Amino acid sequence: MTGIRGLSVFISDIRNCQNKEQERLRVDKELGNIRTCFKNEKVLTPYKKKKYVWKMLYIYVLGYDVDFGHMEPVSLISAPKYPEKQVGYIVTSCLLNENHDFLRLAINMVRNDIIGRNETFQCLALTLVGNIGGREFAESLAPDVQKLIISSSCRPLVRKKAVLCLLRLFRKNQDVVNVDGWADRMAQLLDERDLGVLTSAMSLLVALVSNNHEAYRSCLSKCVKILERLARNQDVPQEYTYYGIPSPWLQVKTMRALQYFPTIEDPSTRRSIFEVLQRILMGTDVVKNVNKNNASHAVLFEALSLVMHLDAEKEMMSQCVALLGKFISVREPNIRYLGLENMTRMLMVTDVQDIIKKHQAQIVTSLKDPDISIRRRALDLLYGMCDVSNAKDIVEELLQYLSTSEFAMREELSLKAAILAEKFAPDLSWYVDVILQLIDKAGDFVSDDIWFRVVQFVTNNEDLQPYAAAKAREYLDKPAIHETMVKVSAYILGEYGHLLARRPGCNPRDMFSIIQEKLPTVSISTIPILLSTYAKILMHCRPPDLELQNQIWTVFKKYESCIDVEIQQRAVEYFELSKKGAALADVLAEMPKFPERQSSLIKKAEDAEDTADQSAIKLRAQQQPSNALVLADPQPVNGRPPPVKVPSMSGSLQDNELAAQPHSHPNGTLSKLEPQAPSADLLNDLLGPLAIEAPPGGMPTDDDHDTIGAEGILDTAIVPVGEQTHTVEPIGNIAERFHALCLKDSGVLYEDPYIQIGVKAEWRGHHGRLVLFLGNKSTSPLTSVHALILPPVHLKMELSLVPETIPPRAQVQCPVEVMNIRPSRDVAVLDFSYKFGTNMVSVKLRLPAVLTKFLQPIQLTAEEFFPQWRSLSGPPLKLQEVIRGVRQFPLPEMANMFNNFRVTICPGLDPNPNNLVASTTFYSESTRAMLCLVRVETDPADRTQLRITVASEDPTLTFELKEYIKEQLIVVPSGRAPTPALPAPVPGPVAQPLSPAVAENDPGALLTGLL
């Protein structure tokens, strides 16, 4: 096997491999053969070396590492014959980069070819330098490359490559191009008739004027003449005409170069440019040929940028907007995207906003486009074009779109809707309506800043307070509302609920009752707000209502022994203050008005706004060797650490919006304090704009506050190492954090004095994506970081690479891909460990990829529900069980719990008001979409027991879902396993009668199933 035939046979062998393993074995065999031949230099002729180097390149192109033999292609560069020299240049360009040590050895060989008289060798050398030339090449070869450019004896092919080579060297070291000497030469280059050289020269000019436009002012008129030559005279050879368009690449580069110069004042020059631009605008339209569209639109959109840069007359601007209006209505998604993006840029130009508003309907239609990138551009455009005249329409469209938008857009969407409502509100009551709708539809994606702001407006406007209180009361009537809505409603009713005393259903007792229904479902961070609300309700209750007072005192006493310090202190102090009668009104007086200040929402939106180019630059800058993304804190200023946000303390409000929430005074009494000094917000600091809400508490029992989970699983273990003097204890209850994340998709999974692990998740069908936020809270690095996921057999989980070190005050994002194979209640475990100083911390955490995450709510009508219910006649597809030891809570609260499980309550299907009927759809790889039906029958006389019936077409799913719901309903004493429920005999009567069957002809009787 000799000569190039050996390479052909090797390629054939690779193509004939049946699988990847055979291919790898064949490649390893060939690499061993090549390595052996390279060691025996006596028999290694240039011809054989060329053959083996070609094989190395082919293996490298296949994706295999070639970590030897790099010197062989470098040595071929000095070969006297073209075939060997060509191989040397090509393979060196592919295998080596500008920082490779061997490349320094080739500088002199490359220089000899550049200054030689062989044009073929010159082209090979210039191509190599133009591709991988670095700073050392720039310092050594720039003068020789410049001589080739200005040489009159060089053919255009060589000069073209020399110009591109100089562009590469200039980017690596700007000092290699002398401004004083090259300004005139650059102008001479633009007189070149050969379009290949001219296109390369224009690329060089763009780089030069972006660095120093004044030095190349003489090139401006030359650029205008080039545009006239291309667009007006069309003096272009046929080989440079692309689908009838004269050299579109050169047109784009020329117009881009003109945008680096200041606005042109010379009338004749402006007239010439605008004539060319007018011709481009008039001659561009959408045709069926995709290639022609791409070329013509590239020229058009660059022309639009130049029109905006030159601050053209309103007539031309109007023409540009009209043209873009056509583009955003075509079917081709790429054209629609470019039309929306450029129309957004047109908003920066004055006097065109009114013209853009004419296309508002089409822009709103783009919000429903299947392509998310088009939806993002449409959102940016609507946000930018909004003013007082169209604010109501745009905000209503955004609110309507919010219900169907994907998770990736909801945070930005809700933020922009809130800002537009604030900036352009025709009246403040409309603003309150919008914010409350926003919280209701997208609670998980509404930042705390938004509801802080609405409370500030309500506090500062007395006329608005009764209206806001009435709206808050309306939302609390809903059976299932987001926790953020509970916060804002409770806060407003606590402050201004007494203004509604004369309205039906708004007396103190009614308000306490409706808020108390929400208390078991909220997290620990919300409970202090509700306690403050109770205290204020009690304060405004005149004359005193003893029954209401006893009910509120019962709540206070319940939380006097709470493990959370702030909840405990508030409960104790409110209870003592409420005994003092009128003194309570002095301490809990109405909140004072907030000082007027600019909204922090606007700055937050400005920080989040990026153009497409900026986003691409940021993405490239943030690329890391692994999939994990490390974000460091800002550098200290004047030797002091950067300021941090005040944490959203349990029940308190951040200082930049709502500062004067009652806090505990050091002497044991409550008083209104000025904004507190910033303290470390463990989540806001580390996660920044992706900050996750404080950990929700799920539905804990009174005693469930231990570190060991209620299921008996040890969630954390601290391993002492070396001279450890203390034990690292977790902050907060890990079991409660896990249960809270089972009900929502973002929160804190684990926290100790050194690290905080947050979770943000998105679930679609049987697929899910978790992002673990590993935040280093300390000022020292965390080392020996190790994370391993131990998934159960029913889940496929893939964790991206976690860096071994987390820098001080930095955050790492680690995505986890999840796929559900079949129904099961088993949970995945994250085995996480790190080292801080001499402390080696190891912790095992359950991940909230539980059964209910793969449910999709669906609400069925009677016509849809009953046929499915009848078709599932009995075990194992329909299972029924009587559960005793159930937590006692009202039926609406139980309905809210099912909604949190992604199981939708279907109202009106069961005529018995003490029963609940629900439906959902389960997704897994084995079952795909599977309908699940649930019925819960409660006994009004004994709330500690109920009967549950679950039905589906998969027996495993039926059993697992029934058991999961049962686990959530049973009271679990702290540190003990759940008490198993007693199964109901099937069929046959239950031990204690539950809801009786309804009349024989009532369709609800069909639900009795196996009773």
Side-chain angles (χ1 to χ4, degrees):
M1 191 168 63
T2 61
I4 297 301
R5 182 174 176 273
L7 175 62
S8 301
V9 171
F10 173 62
I11 294 175
S12 299
D13 291 346
I14 292 294
R15 291 178 175 174
N16 292 330
C17 290
Q18 299 297 317
N19 52 50
K20 192 69 175 178
E21 188 59 31
Q22 289 184 10
E23 179 184 294
R24 181 176 292 278
L25 291 174
R26 182 66 183 90
V27 167
D28 289 343
K29 179 181 177 182
E30 192 62 40
L31 286 175
N33 181 40
I34 295 173
R35 192 188 297 269
T36 302
C37 292
F38 281 171
K39 289 180 179 179
N40 192 0
E41 296 183 357
K42 294 181 180 180
V43 298
L44 188 63
T45 64
Y47 186 81
K48 287 186 176 180
K49 185 185 293 187
K50 178 187 69 173
K51 177 184 66 175
Y52 292 132
V53 168
W54 271 131
K55 288 184 178 181
M56 286 172 55
L57 178 61
Y58 183 70
I59 291 171
Y60 176 77
V61 170
L62 287 176
Y64 295 94
D65 290 333
V66 180
D67 55 359
F68 71 94
H70 293 161
M71 192 58 201
E72 313 307 327
V74 173
S75 64
L76 284 176
I77 291 176
S78 61
K81 296 182 180 179
Y82 174 76
E84 287 81 8
K85 187 181 287 287
Q86 179 202 30
V87 174
Y89 274 116
I90 292 176
V91 178
T92 299
S93 299
C94 294
L95 292 184
L96 306 185
N97 58 50
E98 63 181 86
N99 299 317
H100 203 288
D101 292 336
F102 284 165
L103 204 57
R104 298 189 181 95
L105 304 176
I107 292 180
N108 288 331
M109 293 184 282
V110 173
R111 184 175 185 274
N112 290 334
D113 286 336
I114 289 178
I115 63 178
R117 295 183 178 273
N118 189 319
E119 291 184 344
T120 303
F121 292 175
Q122 284 178 329
C123 290
L124 288 174
L126 291 170
T127 302
L128 172 80
V129 179
N131 283 327
I132 61 173
R135 192 174 184 86
E136 294 183 358
F137 274 86
E139 294 170 354
S140 304
L141 303 180
D144 299 315
V145 174
Q146 293 174 16
K147 289 178 182 177
L148 288 180
I149 295 174
I150 62 178
S151 173
S152 59
S153 61
C154 285
R155 288 200 303 161
L157 175 64
V158 179
R159 297 178 65 208
K160 177 178 69 175
K161 290 183 178 292
V163 173
L164 293 176
C165 181
L166 183 61
L167 174 60
R168 166 83 182 197
L169 300 181
F170 174 75
R171 287 172 175 168
K172 295 300 173 183
N173 185 1
Q174 296 182 0
D175 296 334
V176 300
V177 177
N178 190 323
V179 174
D180 297 332
W182 258 94
D184 295 336
R185 293 177 181 176
M186 196 69 241
Q188 294 173 8
L189 268 179
L190 298 182
D191 291 329
E192 178 67 42
R193 296 301 299 175
D194 185 275
L195 284 190
V197 179
L198 188 57
T199 304
S200 301
M202 194 59 68
S203 299
L204 178 60
L205 178 64
V206 171
L208 293 174
V209 297
S210 65
N211 187 51
N212 185 356
H213 63 82
E214 281 299 329
Y216 298 93
R217 189 78 183 184
S218 58
C219 298
L220 192 150
S221 58
K222 300 290 182 69
C223 292
V224 177
K225 290 180 181 178
I226 292 172
L227 276 182
E228 290 180 330
R229 172 187 171 188
L230 295 175
R232 189 167 65 185
N233 304 331
Q234 298 191 353
D235 179 16
V236 176
Q238 184 61 36
E239 60 267 25
Y240 285 96
T241 301
Y242 185 79
Y243 287 92
I245 304 170
S247 189
W249 307 277
L250 183 54
Q251 290 191 54
V252 169
K253 291 177 185 294
T254 305
M255 287 187 285
R256 186 163 298 173
L258 286 172
Q259 293 175 53
Y260 285 104
F261 292 103
T263 303
I264 301 171
E265 302 295 341
D266 182 61
S268 61
T269 306
R270 284 180 66 88
R271 184 167 56 252
S272 300
I273 292 179
F274 284 132
E275 287 178 3
V276 173
L277 295 176
Q278 185 70 31
R279 183 179 294 271
I280 294 173
L281 294 177
M282 295 295 293
T284 305
D285 203 355
V286 179
V287 296
K288 291 185 178 180
N289 191 300
V290 177
N291 293 327
K292 183 173 183 180
N293 274 338
N294 290 338
S296 62
H297 293 151
V299 176
L300 171 67
F301 290 124
E302 202 63 49
L304 290 174
S305 299
L306 185 55
V307 167
M308 288 185 282
H309 174 72
L310 296 176
D311 195 16
E313 289 77 10
K314 186 175 181 179
E315 183 179 351
M316 180 171 280
M317 292 290 187
S318 303
Q319 185 180 352
C320 293
V321 175
L323 190 59
L324 292 174
K326 293 180 181 179
F327 285 173
I328 65 175
S329 61
V330 300
R331 295 183 59 185
E332 175 60 35
N334 290 334
I335 297 176
R336 286 205 309 278
Y337 178 91
L338 292 171
L340 291 167
E341 184 181 43
N342 282 270
M343 194 174 281
T344 305
R345 296 176 62 193
M346 293 289 289
L347 288 171
M348 296 184 293
V349 181
T350 56
D351 301 330
V352 297
Q353 284 84 350
D354 292 337
I355 307 171
I356 294 177
K357 288 179 188 177
K358 297 178 182 178
H359 304 280
Q360 181 173 320
Q362 187 60 45
I363 298 170
V364 170
T365 303
S366 298
L367 269 182
K368 305 174 180 64
D369 193 276
D371 192 328
I372 186 173
S373 59
I374 293 178
R375 296 197 295 273
R376 286 188 182 278
R377 296 287 78 79
L379 175 60
D380 292 340
L381 181 52
L382 285 173
Y383 178 72
M385 65 186 285
C386 186
D387 58 20
V388 178
S389 63
N390 59 1
K392 265 195 170 184
D393 295 334
I394 290 179
V395 171
E396 287 176 4
E397 289 290 347
L398 296 183
L399 289 174
Q400 183 178 354
Y401 174 56
L402 191 61
S403 302
T404 58
S405 64
E406 54 277 282
F407 296 157
M409 286 187 64
R410 289 191 181 182
E411 187 171 357
E412 179 186 3
L413 191 61
S414 59
L415 176 63
K416 290 187 172 180
I419 293 173
L420 294 180
E422 178 180 334
K423 289 174 66 176
F424 306 113
D427 57 78
L428 291 177
S429 60
W430 177 80
Y431 168 74
V432 171
D433 287 340
V434 169
I435 300 301
L436 294 182
Q437 288 184 57
L438 204 60
I439 296 172
D440 187 44
K441 294 183 177 182
D444 283 330
F445 303 90
V446 176
S447 66
D448 284 345
D449 291 330
I450 293 177
W451 80 268
F452 292 167
R453 190 66 174 167
V454 73
V455 170
Q456 180 179 335
F457 271 105
V458 173
T459 304
N460 289 3
N461 295 272
E462 294 182 4
D463 297 339
L464 188 62
Q465 292 166 1
Y467 181 81
K471 296 299 293 185
R473 178 65 180 85
E474 290 179 15
Y475 276 100
L476 283 177
D477 282 333
K478 290 190 173 184
I481 61 175
H482 192 269
E483 187 172 339
T484 304
M485 182 64 77
V486 176
K487 290 180 182 179
V488 66
S489 298
Y491 184 90
I492 292 176
L493 287 178
E495 293 292 330
Y496 313 111
H498 61 283
L499 302 177
L500 308 177
R502 296 184 179 180
R503 301 192 185 187
C506 295
N507 60 65
R509 188 177 297 182
D510 292 333
M511 286 192 291
F512 168 76
S513 177
I514 193 67
I515 295 174
Q516 181 65 9
E517 289 180 5
K518 314 297 181 184
L519 180 61
T521 66
V522 300
S523 66
I524 291 178
S525 63
T526 306
I527 293 176
I529 296 180
L530 303 189
L531 296 182
S532 299
T533 300
Y534 295 163
K536 295 218 170 190
I537 289 176
L538 198 59
M539 176 189 71
H540 290 301
C541 186
R542 293 291 181 268
D545 187 334
L546 295 180
E547 183 179 350
L548 175 61
Q549 177 178 280
N550 290 332
Q551 291 176 341
I552 293 177
W553 282 0
T554 301
V555 177
F556 289 160
K557 290 178 181 178
K558 175 182 177 181
Y559 287 102
E560 281 182 346
S561 58
C562 179
I563 193 172
D564 185 89
V565 176
E566 184 164 356
I567 295 176
Q568 182 187 99
Q569 185 169 356
R570 290 197 181 209
V572 171
E573 295 185 353
Y574 287 149
F575 180 66
E576 293 300 325
L577 284 170
S578 61
K579 296 178 181 179
K580 300 185 180 299
L584 183 63
D586 297 331
V587 179
L588 298 181
E590 189 173 301
M591 296 294 294
K593 291 186 177 181
F594 294 92
E596 294 298 331
R597 66 187 73 178
Q598 183 183 6
S599 173
S600 61
L601 296 178
I602 297 176
K603 185 176 186 307
K604 187 175 181 180
E606 290 172 353
D607 293 341
E609 284 180 357
D610 287 320
T611 63
D613 292 339
Q614 290 171 334
S615 298
I617 292 171
K618 287 186 177 182
L619 182 61
R620 289 193 294 270
Q622 292 173 350
Q623 285 177 345
Q624 301 288 336
S626 70
N627 291 334
L629 182 63
V630 178
L631 303 174
D633 270 7
Q635 294 297 318
V637 181
N638 299 327
R640 302 172 64 183
V644 296
K645 290 182 180 179
V646 171
S648 181
M649 295 169 54
S650 303
S652 63
L653 306 172
Q654 292 194 19
D655 72 289
N656 62 345
E657 293 292 349
L658 304 176
Q661 177 77 5
H663 289 279
S664 300
H665 195 275
N667 63 11
T669 61
L670 285 173
S671 62
K672 293 180 182 177
L673 303 180
E674 293 300 319
Q676 301 294 312
S679 60
D681 185 355
L682 308 180
L683 207 53
N684 284 342
D685 280 353
L686 299 178
L687 305 188
L690 292 176
I692 306 171
E693 287 185 3
M699 285 176 272
T701 60
D702 293 344
D703 302 322
D704 190 12
H705 295 294
D706 293 336
T707 300
I708 299 178
E711 287 77 359
I713 298 176
L714 186 63
D715 288 290
T716 180
I718 310 302
V719 181
V721 175
E723 299 180 358
Q724 179 176 340
T725 59
H726 64 280
T727 302
V728 179
E729 294 290 346
I731 298 174
N733 190 313
I734 298 178
E736 288 183 9
R737 295 185 188 277
F738 169 75
H739 287 303
L741 286 170
C742 292
L743 302 179
K744 59 192 303 185
D745 292 332
S746 62
V748 177
L749 181 67
Y750 171 80
E751 185 175 358
D752 64 31
Y754 307 128
I755 197 168
Q756 182 183 64
I757 303 178
V759 173
K760 199 165 190 177
E762 184 175 352
W763 308 93
R764 289 186 181 276
H766 66 288
H767 290 279
R769 178 182 172 86
L770 291 166
V771 179
L772 300 178
F773 297 88
L774 311 179
N776 184 355
K777 297 160 51 177
S778 68
T779 56
S780 300
L782 302 180
T783 58
S784 302
V785 178
H786 176 75
L788 176 67
I789 290 185
L790 309 174
V793 292
H794 74 284
L795 292 179
K796 289 182 182 178
M797 304 184 75
E798 182 178 350
L799 173 66
S800 67
L801 186 63
V802 179
E804 291 187 0
T805 301
I806 303 178
R809 306 290 294 171
Q811 171 226 338
V812 177
Q813 299 179 21
C814 302
V816 182
E817 300 297 332
V818 184
M819 185 168 70
N820 187 29
I821 308 300
R822 57 181 178 273
S824 175
R825 286 172 295 136
D826 296 336
V827 295
V829 175
L830 173 66
D831 187 352
F832 182 80
S833 61
Y834 68 92
K835 187 176 182 181
F836 181 84
T838 60
N839 292 328
M840 188 67 190
V841 183
S842 178
V843 58
K844 288 182 173 60
L845 303 167
R846 290 168 294 166
L847 292 176
V850 293
L851 176 74
T852 54
K853 298 296 185 181
F854 304 104
L855 298 178
Q856 187 66 38
I858 180 173
Q859 192 167 59
L860 302 180
T861 62
E863 292 75 14
E864 298 167 329
F865 185 93
F866 291 123
Q868 296 286 344
W869 185 264
R870 292 192 200 98
S871 65
L872 304 170
S873 57
L877 300 182
K878 181 185 286 184
L879 298 178
Q880 187 178 92
E881 184 173 344
V882 174
I883 304 174
R884 298 186 176 87
V886 176
R887 286 179 287 170
Q888 299 185 45
F889 42 73
L891 206 61
E893 190 176 309
M894 184 183 295
N896 188 42
M897 183 187 71
F898 274 91
N899 287 327
N900 289 333
F901 295 160
R902 303 171 186 248
V903 180
T904 302
I905 300 299
C906 302
L909 295 190
D910 194 321
N912 190 327
N914 296 308
N915 297 347
L916 293 177
V917 176
S919 59
T920 188
T921 307
F922 176 78
Y923 289 87
S924 70
E925 191 177 53
S926 59
T927 63
R928 297 300 173 185
M930 184 75 69
L931 184 65
C932 305
L933 307 177
V934 180
R935 186 193 189 199
V936 179
E937 301 169 280
T938 66
D939 185 359
D942 186 0
R943 290 292 187 184
T944 63
Q945 68 169 351
L946 53 79
R947 178 162 55 195
I948 182 172
T949 308
V950 179
S952 77
E953 296 179 3
D954 182 79
T956 304
L957 174 59
T958 303
F959 174 78
E960 295 290 343
L961 183 58
K962 176 183 74 69
E963 291 299 310
Y964 183 89
I965 295 175
K966 181 174 72 173
E967 290 173 0
Q968 308 304 315
L969 293 171
I970 296 176
V971 176
V972 183
S974 178
R976 294 172 56 187
T979 303
L982 299 176
V986 180
V990 295
Q992 295 185 19
L994 298 175
S995 304
V998 293
E1000 183 178 352
N1001 296 326
D1002 197 315
L1006 297 172
L1007 292 169
T1008 56
L1010 302 175
L1011 297 182

